[in-house]
């Protein structure tokens, strides 16, 4: 099946700093989503971005499907940004209709 | 906007007991997915349904079964519970089966004692 690798595994920032999270995938994808899992365990949709660039406030994301990677940018980080960030994809090939394969996540800690 | 609803939010069971988790998708969504997230792990796909038919199956134990009903809600039935079944169970929904954004519910935290 498709492999999804995220880096870095852990990231510690001071409030106000910027960061870039990376997601590499091993095959072509139909769907790529970024999620934030908060300390209560909820998975919050950040971006649906199989290709191109999107921005939402302090967050933006870029997916270069031909090179099989996606980047999530967080600017002016806040303590509430802490949590785990997951990248998840659906494989364009085979018969895996719609199922998301997740990366291992990046654990982000933002200190005041 | 309406979100995916899961019930119960927390569930405590003894080994060998059964559990039923329920999922109510976003209105007009016809596809439901179930995922299991163990402690410190990423979510793993279990099973999905499109228009009330099973569309895909992942690493779901034979002790688990699921279905999607005529009103599109779904239930995950888990029997002969084991300690290793303790996890966060997510339901997600989408409109259509392919190339569509999935929206996740708040999850059901199952603890097996």
């Amino acid at each position: 099946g498709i492999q999804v690798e995220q880096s870095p595994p852990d990231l510690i920032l001071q409030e106000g700093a910027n960061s870039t999270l990376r997601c590499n995938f091993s095959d072509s994808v139909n769907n790529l989503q970024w999620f934030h899992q908060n300390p209560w365990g909820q998975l919050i949709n950040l971006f649906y971005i199989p290709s191109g660039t999107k921005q939402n406030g302090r967050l933006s994301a870029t997916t270069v499907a031909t090179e099989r990677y996606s980047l999530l940018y967080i600017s002016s980080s806040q303590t509430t940004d802490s949590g785990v960030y997951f990248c998840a994809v659906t494989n364009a090939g085979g018969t895996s209709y719609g199922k998301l394969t997740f990366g291992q996540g990046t654990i982000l800690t933002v200190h005041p | 906007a309406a979100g995916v609803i899961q019930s119960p939010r927390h569930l405590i069971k003894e080994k060998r007991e059964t559990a039923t988790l329920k999922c109510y998708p976003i209105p007009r969504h016809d596809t439901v997915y179930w995922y299991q997230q163990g402690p410190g792990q990423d979510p793993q796909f279990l099973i999905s349904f499109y228009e009330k038919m099973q569309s895909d199956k992942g690493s779901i134990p034979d002790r688990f079964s699921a279905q999607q009903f005529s009103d599109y809600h779904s239930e995950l039935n888990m029997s002969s519970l084991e300690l290793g079944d303790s996890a966060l169970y997510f339901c997600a929904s989408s409109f259509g089966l392919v190339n569509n954004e999935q929206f996740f519910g708040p999850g059901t935290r199952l603890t097996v004692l």
Side-chain angles (χ1 to χ4, degrees):
Chain A
I2 192 168
Q3 304 297 313
V4 182
E5 294 183 2
Q6 292 186 239
S7 59
D10 298 275
L11 189 56
I12 300 174
L13 301 174
Q14 287 296 129
E15 204 167 26
N18 303 328
S19 61
T20 301
L21 282 59
R22 186 176 180 102
C23 171
N24 292 330
F25 41 95
S26 60
D27 202 349
S28 56
V29 298
N30 284 327
N31 176 6
L32 189 146
Q33 293 185 233
W34 283 97
F35 297 92
H36 174 215
Q37 187 163 39
N38 63 25
W40 296 271
Q42 292 184 313
L43 279 171
I44 310 299
N45 286 41
L46 297 178
F47 293 101
Y48 168 70
I49 188 166
S51 64
T53 298
K54 291 185 177 179
Q55 180 159 6
N56 184 4
R58 296 181 296 103
L59 274 61
S60 64
T62 295
T63 297
V64 184
T66 53
E67 297 187 22
R68 299 182 182 170
Y69 74 89
S70 183
L71 302 173
L72 177 68
Y73 305 95
I74 305 174
S75 65
S76 304
S77 57
Q78 301 175 357
T79 56
T80 52
D81 294 332
S82 296
V84 184
Y85 289 79
F86 286 108
C87 168
V89 303
T90 59
N91 194 344
T95 57
S96 298
Y97 300 109
K99 79 171 190 183
L100 285 171
T101 299
F102 284 75
Q104 293 292 337
T106 291
I107 302 173
L108 175 64
T109 304
V110 181
H111 291 300
Chain B
V4 176
I5 296 171
Q6 290 188 247
S7 67
R9 295 291 306 277
H10 301 272
L11 192 57
I12 300 175
K13 291 286 186 178
E14 299 278 343
K15 278 172 44 178
R16 291 180 290 277
E17 286 190 321
T18 62
T20 297
L21 279 55
K22 297 186 178 183
C23 169
Y24 297 86
I26 292 172
R28 292 187 296 281
H29 280 193
D30 52 14
T31 308
V32 168
Y33 309 82
W34 287 96
Y35 295 85
Q36 177 192 57
Q37 185 179 25
Q41 304 294 315
D42 56 284
Q44 297 290 316
F45 171 76
L46 291 177
I47 195 166
S48 62
F49 294 89
Y50 168 65
E51 283 291 347
K52 292 152 280 185
M53 299 288 290
Q54 180 180 308
S55 53
D56 201 357
K57 195 172 182 180
S59 302
I60 183 169
D62 292 340
R63 299 177 289 109
F64 294 7
S65 65
Q67 59 181 322
Q68 185 179 32
F69 294 86
S70 57
D71 63 351
Y72 294 100
H73 94 273
S74 178
E75 295 184 5
L76 177 66
N77 299 292
M78 310 161 70
S79 63
S80 302
L81 286 169
E82 302 174 356
L83 297 178
D85 296 328
S86 295
L88 191 53
Y89 291 83
F90 289 105
C91 171
S93 74
S94 68
F95 179 68
L97 188 56
V98 183
N99 301 349
N100 291 298
E101 186 174 7
Q102 292 182 31
F103 296 86
F104 281 68
T108 294
R109 189 173 296 278
L110 173 66
T111 302
V112 182
L113 301 176

